[in-house]
Amino acid sequence: MFNELESYSETEQKQKIKETYGLMEEMDEKEFDHVFSIGLYNKIDDMIEEKKLSMGNAIFLLKHIGYCKILMNKWSYGFYHSELKFRLEKMIIEKEKKEKNNVVLLTGLCECILLLYDEFSSELLPICVPYLLKAALNKEENEEAQKEAELSFLALSNICASRIMKKELYSNEITEIIEYHQEHYNLTRLAYQSAWLFLICRLFYDRSLEDVILNKLQFERETIRELEELSKCIDWKREKDVRGKEKKEEIALLRWLQALEFYLTWCKSWSEEFVELVGSIVKIYLAAKGNHKEIGEKCIDLFVNSTYIRAIENVRKIK
C-alpha cells in the first residue's frame, strides 16, 4: 500500500492511509519493525521531495505511526537513521522562523518528531512544547478535539526525563490542563495519563515541582482513582492477548505504573494517601500475576527500583 500511495490523488491518499490504521494497531512488534524500516521512512521522504505525497498527508500518516509506536513502547530505529528525520527537524526550525502563524502545520510537524523520536535536536524543545501544549489546551469535548489532545500529550510524554526544560515553558499550561480535567473530565484516559507522565518526568531536574504535583494537583489521589477505574476495565482472567479498547486500557495502566516509578524515585515527600497508593499497586499485582505478566513484573520493578534508589540516598545522607 505504501509503495502505491504515489499513484493516488491527494484525497485518495488520505483515504488509503486511513485504511491502514486498523492494520497498524493489530501489528506485533516484529511486524512493526519489519514494515517501518529506514527504507520506508526514506521512501516517504523521497515522495515528499518529489511532491508525490503532500505534507498534510505525510503528517497524517506519520502521526499514526508514531501513535502506534508509543503504545508499543518501541524505539524507532528506522526513523532515527532516516533522511525524513532531518527533513522534519529542518522544516520545524525554518517554518517557526518564517511562518509562525501556520499553527496547524507546525503543531503537526512537532507531533510527528516527538512521537517518532525522543532524542531530537535541543533547538526543537522550546519550539515544540508550546505548540503541543496549546493544542492540548483545547477544552472542547468532541471526539476530534480529544484525539488531538491525546496525540499531543503522547508526544509530550515521549520527551525523556533527562531533557532539561525551563519551567516557564510548560508549568502554567500543564497545571491548568490537569486541573481542568479533574473538574470536567474532558480528556481521554490515555491523554490524562500522558499529561501526568510528562509532568512527572520534569521532576528529574526540577524538584521544586514536588509541591504542585503532590499538593496542588493531588497526584497520589488521582493515581489511586485512575488505577481503580482501569482495573475495572481489564479482564484479569483472560487467556489470550487482546486488541482494541481493552488493550488500550492495559497500556494506560502500565504507563501509570511507569509514572509512579519515577514519582517514587524522585519525589522526596509523600502525602497521607501514600499507604493507600501502595495498597492499590499491591492489588494490581495480585490481580495480574496469573495472566498479565507484564503488568505484574512492572509492579515488582516499581517497588524494587524505587526502594533501591531510596536506600542509596539514605546511605549518602549518613556519609
Side-chain angles (χ1 to χ4, degrees):
M1 193 287 296
F2 291 122
N3 289 331
E4 295 172 356
L5 267 182
E6 57 190 273
S7 64
Y8 296 108
S9 68
E10 186 171 347
T11 303
E12 290 171 330
Q13 282 180 349
K14 189 166 187 176
Q15 183 57 40
K16 290 294 180 182
I17 291 168
K18 277 184 180 179
E19 290 171 9
T20 69
Y21 279 15
L23 294 173
M24 287 189 218
E25 292 174 16
E26 291 292 323
M27 286 180 177
D28 60 29
E29 293 187 8
K30 287 184 179 179
E31 290 170 332
F32 190 88
D33 285 339
H34 177 73
V35 173
F36 298 108
S37 62
I38 183 173
L40 178 64
Y41 290 116
N42 282 338
K43 171 75 172 177
I44 294 171
D45 184 70
D46 289 340
M47 290 173 67
I48 294 170
E49 177 69 24
E50 296 165 8
K51 301 190 183 305
K52 294 178 179 178
L53 179 66
S54 71
M55 201 63 234
N57 279 347
I59 290 172
F60 189 60
L61 170 61
L62 293 171
K63 285 203 293 188
H64 201 74
I65 296 173
Y67 174 81
C68 294
K69 170 214 163 251
I70 294 286
L71 295 192
M72 287 184 187
N73 196 27
K74 292 286 296 176
W75 175 264
S76 189
Y77 292 100
F79 183 74
Y80 173 75
H81 293 289
S82 71
E83 293 299 318
L84 182 61
K85 183 196 77 169
F86 297 106
R87 174 184 294 276
L88 295 185
E89 287 184 334
K90 185 179 179 182
M91 281 186 71
I92 290 169
I93 293 168
E94 290 180 350
K95 295 288 183 185
E96 209 278 332
K97 288 178 180 177
K98 299 176 183 178
E99 301 180 38
K100 285 188 178 182
N101 292 330
N102 201 339
V103 176
V104 174
L105 175 62
L106 276 162
T107 301
L109 290 169
C110 290
E111 283 175 337
C112 289
I113 201 81
L114 293 188
L115 285 166
L116 289 165
Y117 187 52
D118 66 353
E119 291 294 332
F120 48 86
S121 163
S122 58
E123 191 177 354
L124 295 182
L125 201 60
I127 298 174
C128 288
V129 171
Y131 277 105
L132 297 192
L133 283 172
K134 186 175 180 180
L137 271 166
N138 186 348
K139 296 182 174 65
E140 294 180 32
E141 296 182 23
N142 60 68
E143 187 176 348
E144 185 177 348
Q146 287 185 327
K147 184 64 177 178
E148 188 55 43
E150 188 174 88
L151 280 168
S152 294
F153 275 127
L154 277 172
L156 287 166
S157 71
N158 201 41
I159 301 173
C160 60
S162 59
R163 286 282 182 179
I164 299 176
M165 194 184 305
K166 292 181 179 179
K167 190 189 292 187
E168 296 78 22
L169 200 62
Y170 64 88
S171 182
N172 291 338
E173 290 81 359
I174 195 69
T175 300
E176 178 185 341
I177 289 166
I178 290 174
E179 285 185 316
Y180 188 86
H181 174 79
Q182 288 173 351
E183 184 175 351
H184 299 280
Y185 297 98
N186 64 307
L187 299 174
T188 66
R189 288 194 183 281
L190 191 56
Y192 185 52
Q193 187 287 321
S194 298
W196 269 114
L197 185 57
F198 167 74
L199 181 57
I200 293 293
C201 281
R202 310 285 69 80
L203 265 175
F204 184 81
Y205 274 115
D206 192 348
R207 299 294 175 84
S208 69
L209 291 168
E210 279 192 28
D211 183 59
V212 172
I213 289 171
L214 188 64
N215 299 315
K216 186 174 184 179
L217 299 178
Q218 299 288 311
F219 174 70
E220 291 180 0
R221 180 198 68 192
E222 290 295 297
T223 304
I224 291 166
R225 182 179 57 76
E226 287 293 316
L227 291 179
E228 288 178 353
E229 290 297 319
L230 285 166
S231 293
K232 294 174 185 176
C233 300
I234 295 173
D235 177 8
W236 295 108
K237 302 298 182 183
R238 65 152 169 83
E239 297 179 355
K240 59 181 181 179
D241 288 339
V242 295
R243 291 288 186 268
K245 184 178 179 181
E246 188 174 338
K247 182 64 176 178
K248 203 170 178 179
E249 306 289 10
E250 290 184 16
I251 290 164
L253 192 147
L254 277 165
R255 286 167 62 86
W256 273 110
L257 294 175
Q258 181 183 4
L260 264 173
E261 184 175 346
F262 294 151
Y263 170 74
L264 293 176
T265 302
W266 300 328
C267 196
K268 295 184 181 296
S269 54
W270 300 324
S271 77
E272 295 177 357
E273 292 169 314
F274 178 71
V275 173
E276 189 179 349
L277 176 60
V278 172
S280 296
I281 301 168
V282 171
K283 286 178 184 177
I284 289 170
Y285 169 72
L286 292 173
K289 68 177 184 177
N291 295 324
H292 291 256
K293 183 179 178 182
E294 187 177 6
I295 294 175
E297 288 180 348
K298 189 64 180 175
C299 291
I300 294 172
D301 289 344
L302 191 159
F303 283 124
V304 171
N305 293 338
S306 59
T307 301
Y308 174 76
I309 294 294
R310 290 291 173 135
I312 294 296
E313 286 185 355
N314 289 335
V315 169
R316 286 173 179 169
K317 286 178 183 177
I318 294 171
K319 289 183 178 180

